[in-house]
Amino acid sequence: MKTNHLGTRTLVAALFLLMLTCANVRAQEADNILSQLHTFRVSNYTSLDAYYRYIGDGNTDTLNEIVSGINAANDSMNLLAESDSGALTNQQIEELNGEFDKFKSLMRDNINEVRNTGYPDLRLASDMANQALTMNNLATEFYQIAQESSQVKTNTRVEAARMGAVKIAQMRAKYSVRTNSAVSQTFQGSSTETSLDEQAMEFDQLLSTVVKGENEGELKALLGDISSKWQFIRGSYINYNENNVGFVIDRYSKRILENLTITIELLIQQNN
């Protein structure tokens, strides 16, 4: 009887360990879904920003930035499609992929228009900006659904850093259309997007959440650099002026985005 009781306890312990392992694997898969949806959103706004700069300079390096952003978003989309976490349904992933296909098609058409004529087509450019917003709003909705369905509790600072990264990428693209487009007086990007000054104030709140907490070493240095660079360009986002030096705003915004990406990785490591 003692042997049987011991065997039963061993079996129960093994089953519990297996369940715990499976739960951890599911949590990791769900975390990966959230990470890919985040990268997808940032990458698309990065390619949109590069397109607006391409209107102004027609530079091959800028064109390569567009391609790089699209490829990064494409990689994330493929990883989402391959995931078996169950955080999103196949139908949801197909819906997002369909919106992404529309965005890529519009990007190709807009690039070809600039190549062939030297100028953007207002209707095409407007369609692409609106499609980018529609697509990324859907990705944000699915991000929230994936969180709820997987019951993953993401750290507050990680969430704020991800939202901040998407916000600064979105702001950077919106600012670029004003400073690089020959038709900026009549085309200001998406017709329903939040204004730059409002977005800047939203970024203020997100950054405030990110910096709160114990920050040491590399993390402290990164957050200090983000904060100082943001203070330098914040006024340009809140009070747009044609005399602002656009390439400085773009360069600092890019650096903030890069540092937030590293910050997210460090915060995730810190909480594991």
Side-chain angles (χ1 to χ4, degrees), residues 38 41-50 52 129-137 140 162-178 188-196 198-200 202-203 206 230 237 250 253-254 257 260:
H38 168 70
R41 290 179 293 173
V42 170
S43 299
N44 284 315
Y45 277 121
T46 298
S47 65
L48 194 62
D49 164 71
Y52 293 141
N130 288 326
Q131 179 59 26
L133 186 61
T134 297
M135 173 182 63
N136 283 288
N137 282 346
T140 299
R162 282 178 173 167
M163 291 171 67
V166 173
K167 187 68 64 180
I168 197 72
Q170 191 177 17
M171 290 164 60
R172 184 184 174 208
K174 192 170 181 65
Y175 196 90
S176 281
V177 74
R178 291 188 175 189
Q188 296 292 335
S190 168
S191 59
T192 58
E193 201 169 42
T194 307
S195 64
L196 270 176
E198 290 179 80
Q199 288 179 331
E202 289 169 1
F203 186 81
L206 292 168
W230 173 242
Y237 276 118
D250 186 77
S253 298
K254 180 182 179 182
L257 179 56
L260 278 172

Side-chain angles (χ1 to χ4, degrees), residues 164-225:
V166 173
K167 187 68 64 180
I168 197 72
Q170 191 177 17
M171 290 164 60
R172 184 184 174 208
K174 192 170 181 65
Y175 196 90
S176 281
V177 74
R178 291 188 175 189
T179 57
N180 294 287
S181 175
V183 292
S184 62
Q185 293 302 314
T186 51
F187 173 62
Q188 296 292 335
S190 168
S191 59
T192 58
E193 201 169 42
T194 307
S195 64
L196 270 176
D197 57 337
E198 290 179 80
Q199 288 179 331
M201 292 174 189
E202 289 169 1
F203 186 81
D204 276 338
Q205 296 301 315
L206 292 168
L207 183 57
S208 176
T209 300
V210 176
V211 299
K212 287 179 182 176
E214 293 187 16
N215 304 312
E216 298 179 354
E218 185 181 4
L219 181 59
K220 183 178 180 179
L222 281 168
L223 292 174
D225 190 61

Side-chain angles (χ1 to χ4, degrees), residues 40 44 70 74 94-110 124 127-132 134-135 138:
F40 177 81
N44 284 315
I70 292 292
N74 208 62
E94 287 172 7
E95 183 181 359
L96 184 59
N97 196 28
E99 297 298 335
F100 184 42
D101 283 341
K102 292 177 187 176
F103 177 71
K104 287 188 289 186
S105 178
L106 284 165
M107 181 64 83
R108 281 193 296 269
D109 291 344
N110 274 280
L124 274 177
D127 286 348
M128 181 171 65
N130 288 326
Q131 179 59 26
T134 297
M135 173 182 63
L138 184 63

